[in-house]
Amino acid sequence: MSIKVGVSACVIGDKVRFDGGHKRSAFLMEDLAPFIDLVPVCPEVGIGLSVPRPTIRLLDRGETIGVRLVETKDSTADYTEKMVAFSQKKANQLADMDLCGYVVCAKSPTCGMERVKLYRENGYVASEKIGVGLYTKELMERMPWLPIEEDGRLHDPMLRENFVFRMFALKDFYDSMADGISRRAIVEFHSRYKLVLMAHSC
Ligand code: SF4
C-alpha cells in the first residue's frame, strides 16, 4: 500500500492561485515526492472559483454570525457555505483513503493551518494568530490524528523531520491494523515505537 499524502494543489506547482500562479515546494516535489503518492486538492477551484479570481479573506462578523469566507473587495460575495460543504465532503473521501499526511499552503484563508489573517468589518486585522483556513479546519476536525504541515514550516529541519516521521509512523499503524485491530497488533506497534513515545512523554 502506498503512502498517500494530501497537498494543496498550488504547492505541487499547479497554477491555481488567485493570481494564476503557484507556490511549488522544492522539498516536497524533489525530496519527498519519490517516496509518497500525492493527492492534490485546490478547494477554491473545487467550489467553482476561476483562475485568476478576486482575492478572498476571513472576515469576523461577530459572535452571532461568526467567521465568513468572503471576497476582499465585496464582502457580500460569501463562499462560506460552499466551502464548508466542499471541505466536509472532501475530508470524508480522504479519510476513506487512509491518508498519512497533508501539506497545506500557509496563510491562505482556505488552506492555511494557523495564523491566518482574520479581518474585522472595519478592515483592520482582528488577529494574525487565531485564523485557520476553512478547508484545513474541516480536515483537522475530521482527522485529528492526521499529520498536517504548512509548506513554509517544512523549511525548518526539526519540523520537517517531525512531520516525515509522523507520516511514516501513521502508515505503519494503518498497515499494522490492516487485518483488524487486535491486542497483539497494538502491543507490537507500541513496542516498535516505545522509545519514541517515551521521548515525547512528559
Ligand atoms: S492555497 Fe489552497 S485554495 Fe489557494 S490556490 Fe492553493 S490549493 Fe487552492
Side-chain angles (χ1 to χ4, degrees), residues 8-11 16-18 41-45 53 105 108 110-111:
S8 297
C10 57
V11 172
V16 288
R17 298 193 78 215
F18 68 94
V41 180
C42 176
E44 291 176 18
V45 170
R53 55 184 170 275
C105 181
S108 157
T110 300
C111 292

Side-chain angles (χ1 to χ4, degrees), residues 24-129:
R24 186 178 183 278
S25 160
F27 164 69
L28 184 68
M29 297 312 292
E30 285 153 33
D31 297 336
L32 207 49
F35 304 100
I36 59 178
D37 279 344
L38 290 167
V39 182
V41 180
C42 176
E44 291 176 18
V45 170
I47 65 167
L49 297 181
S50 60
V51 181
R53 55 184 170 275
T55 56
I56 55 177
R57 64 184 183 179
L58 294 176
L59 178 63
D60 186 354
R61 288 214 144 127
E63 272 181 30
T64 323
I65 301 177
V67 175
R68 311 296 298 181
L69 184 67
V70 300
E71 282 188 13
T72 304
K73 289 189 175 167
D74 174 13
S75 62
T76 62
D78 188 326
Y79 302 107
T80 313
E81 270 76 32
K82 264 189 177 177
M83 184 57 77
V84 169
F86 173 89
S87 304
Q88 288 174 343
K89 192 173 168 195
K90 184 57 78 176
N92 282 332
Q93 287 172 357
L94 295 172
D96 288 342
M97 292 172 65
D98 281 351
L99 217 58
C100 297
Y102 211 111
V103 179
V104 296
C105 181
K107 297 179 185 167
S108 157
T110 300
C111 292
M113 182 183 77
E114 60 180 23
R115 295 170 184 261
V116 177
K117 282 184 181 173
L118 183 59
Y119 289 84
R120 292 186 201 278
E121 299 270 22
N122 62 12
Y124 286 102
V125 176
S127 171
E128 295 192 29
K129 295 188 178 172

Side-chain angles (χ1 to χ4, degrees), residues 113-166:
M113 182 183 77
E114 60 180 23
R115 295 170 184 261
V116 177
K117 282 184 181 173
L118 183 59
Y119 289 84
R120 292 186 201 278
E121 299 270 22
N122 62 12
Y124 286 102
V125 176
S127 171
E128 295 192 29
K129 295 188 178 172
I130 57 172
V132 180
L134 281 200
Y135 174 74
T136 300
K137 183 166 177 281
E138 293 295 334
L139 273 186
M140 293 194 288
E141 285 176 4
R142 178 65 181 79
M143 292 178 274
W145 60 87
L146 186 69
I148 299 182
E149 257 310 348
E150 290 185 331
D151 53 346
R153 283 168 49 100
L154 289 175
H155 292 303
D156 181 310
M158 293 280 284
L159 296 175
R160 175 188 295 188
E161 183 183 325
N162 182 279
F163 174 68
V164 172
F165 185 90
R166 287 165 62 215

Side-chain angles (χ1 to χ4, degrees), residues 169-199:
L170 182 55
K171 166 74 170 124
D172 188 9
F173 180 78
Y174 286 147
D175 288 349
S176 303
M177 305 300 149
D179 293 330
I181 298 175
S182 66
R183 184 175 300 184
R184 183 178 168 180
I186 292 173
V187 169
E188 285 179 358
F189 178 81
H190 270 258
S191 301
R192 282 200 298 284
Y193 290 86
K194 185 175 155 192
L195 295 178
V196 177
L197 291 169
M198 286 170 71

